[in-house]
Amino acid sequence: MNIHEKYMKRCIQIAEFGQGNTFPNPSVGCCIVMNGKILAEGFSSKAGCNHAEINAINLIKEKSILSKCTIYITLEPCSHHGKTPPCVDTIIKYKFKKVVIGIKDPNDLVNGKGIKKLQKAGVNVMTGILKKECTDLHKRFLTHQLKKRPYIILKWAQTSNGYISPKERKNKEPFWISNKKSRIISHKWRAHEHAILIGAQTLRDDNPKLTTRIWNGNNCKAYILSKNWEKKENKKFNSDSSFKILDKSIINFDNNVAKQICNVLYENEIQSLIVEGGTKTINNFLDSKIWDEIRIFKSDKKLVGGVKAPKIKYKRKMKIQIGNDKLEIYKNSDETLL
């Protein structure tokens, strides 16, 4: 790992602190370096507030030293006026010695314009540092920009014999397949994503809160897919869950349901979606091959009958032991974001 990769790796780590808090903007990481020492670090604030570069620059009291510094940024700095002024103007103002960028911003308002403006001002610019890693960091933003849909994560828990829920529930109490640690991880994931989707039958059976209540993070926007939703049902469920219904007034259930869901969410500027089942809802995405990640918690518990888990035939990318659960992660191999 060379010196530039070392500092870009740190920028990626920093950016993770902002995940889930910056939508519709990406969570960018930045650090300012002089003579081999990091002087300041920053990540994106919520939309409408400072970008990562400005947060890092603001930590430097003696601005005159910035002309001797290199600034590292995971994503090309903006060059247009939005809710905040262009970051490139601030970088040019303080005459940074060098700007090192992970990846270009494909947004039509940027898309290389920031880099060109820096170069025109005489700033030394390097790009493509840890490109693959920065692409993974910004996968939600990039998918939304380039594929015109949200980044799709399919997630469920299943028993060792392949069921996601029992036939019947005693006293309507939840039947937990995964363990407590796995459920905490699930809530952490919710905090990182823009929206969550379940089917109406899952809502009727489980009455889930769809919140991030056991992890310190934002609640994502909740959507319910229902072919036959009745308005009177709205009053039946958790008052702390504010959800939107994707019913036959929005979705044509005779056509590609997953594609239509993606179109609706894209129009609503949703950048990422975690689909938490049940099997019928998840299969809409599997059958259409519209997904980016699959995350499965496999428990050592067994059920005698129930709802079968979705079937997949993909090569596993990762396997992690979490107590008596096994987390399996699959990724849809796609190089179009690079």
Side-chain angles (χ1 to χ4, degrees), residues 170-188:
K170 295 179 180 179
N171 304 318
K172 293 291 182 180
E173 289 295 319
F175 177 80
W176 297 112
I177 291 175
S178 57
N179 63 35
K180 183 65 179 292
K181 287 183 179 179
S182 296
R183 295 200 293 274
I184 290 172
I185 290 170
S186 293
H187 283 231
K188 178 183 178 181

Side-chain angles (χ1 to χ4, degrees), residues 108-124:
D108 290 338
L109 295 171
V110 188
N111 199 17
K113 295 184 182 77
I115 293 169
K116 288 179 181 177
K117 192 170 185 179
L118 289 168
Q119 291 172 331
K120 190 175 181 180
V123 179
N124 184 359

Side-chain angles (χ1 to χ4, degrees), residues 21-74:
N21 299 314
T22 65
F23 292 120
N25 296 336
S27 180
V28 176
C30 172
C31 64
I32 297 171
V33 178
M34 186 175 75
N35 297 330
K37 181 181 179 182
I38 296 177
L39 301 184
E41 300 176 335
F43 58 90
S44 303
S45 301
K46 65 180 181 179
C49 298
N50 287 340
H51 292 185
E53 304 93 307
I54 306 306
N55 282 331
I57 289 170
N58 285 347
L59 293 175
I60 305 292
K61 292 182 180 180
E62 186 53 59
K63 298 293 193 289
S64 62
I65 68 169
L66 293 175
S67 61
K68 301 175 184 177
C69 294
T70 297
I71 186 168
Y72 291 82
I73 318 163
T74 57

Side-chain angles (χ1 to χ4, degrees), residues 320-336:
I320 304 168
Q321 192 74 36
I322 305 171
N324 57 344
D325 289 349
K326 293 182 179 68
L327 170 60
E328 295 185 355
I329 297 176
Y330 302 77
K331 293 195 176 183
N332 200 347
S333 180
D334 192 341
E335 301 299 323
T336 59

Side-chain angles (χ1 to χ4, degrees), residues 281-298:
T281 301
I282 288 171
N283 279 340
N284 283 313
F285 293 88
L286 289 173
D287 294 343
S288 301
K289 298 182 180 180
I290 301 176
W291 61 275
D292 298 287
E293 289 187 42
I294 298 171
R295 302 173 182 175
I296 309 170
F297 290 107
K298 291 190 174 180

Side-chain angles (χ1 to χ4, degrees), residues 246-259:
L246 301 177
D247 60 12
K248 58 188 176 184
S249 68
I250 299 170
I251 304 294
N252 180 352
F253 285 85
D254 294 326
N255 291 331
N256 190 322
V257 173
K259 187 174 181 180

